[in-house]
Amino acid sequence: HPLLQSLQLLASDNLAFFSRSRPASGPSRRFSDAFAALLRHGRHLGPALAHLGRLAPEFDLDEATPGNGYRSLIQVVQGCLERAVERS
């Protein structure tokens, strides 16, 4: 997923930047922790999104109506990824 890849790269760069901050202030430590968490969780998000993408068509109302909760969840995650990339 391109947005997830972008976020992983940004999080990695930001983690490196804020980890080098000396002396390690409270805000730089919190940023480091946040970007490390993004990297950790992002590794699991790609496979989960791929799985939901494969699963979603099985729960559509019919062929002409591709919509269900799985598709909605994918869209919410997509929006969150967009915001995280913008802010990173």
Side-chain angles (χ1 to χ4, degrees):
H1 193 273
L3 267 178
L4 187 55
Q5 289 172 346
S6 294
L7 182 57
Q8 294 289 87
L9 287 172
L10 288 166
S12 180
D13 288 346
N14 282 313
L15 176 61
F17 175 81
F18 286 107
S19 294
R20 284 192 306 263
S21 269
R22 295 290 175 243
S25 66
S28 66
R29 196 173 16 263
R30 286 192 299 274
F31 277 121
S32 291
D33 292 347
F35 287 115
L38 278 173
L39 285 169
R40 262 193 325 275
H41 296 300
R43 290 183 190 108
H44 302 286
L45 190 55
L49 284 174
H51 177 70
L52 285 175
R54 288 188 301 273
L55 190 65
E58 296 178 28
F59 295 93
D60 288 338
L61 296 174
D62 56 44
E63 284 186 23
T65 314
N68 59 56
Y70 292 115
R71 290 184 190 277
S72 298
L73 181 57
I74 292 169
Q75 287 181 336
V76 167
V77 171
Q78 175 83 15
C80 291
L81 285 172
E82 290 170 2
R83 297 313 174 286
V85 166
E86 288 171 4
R87 282 153 179 81
S88 292

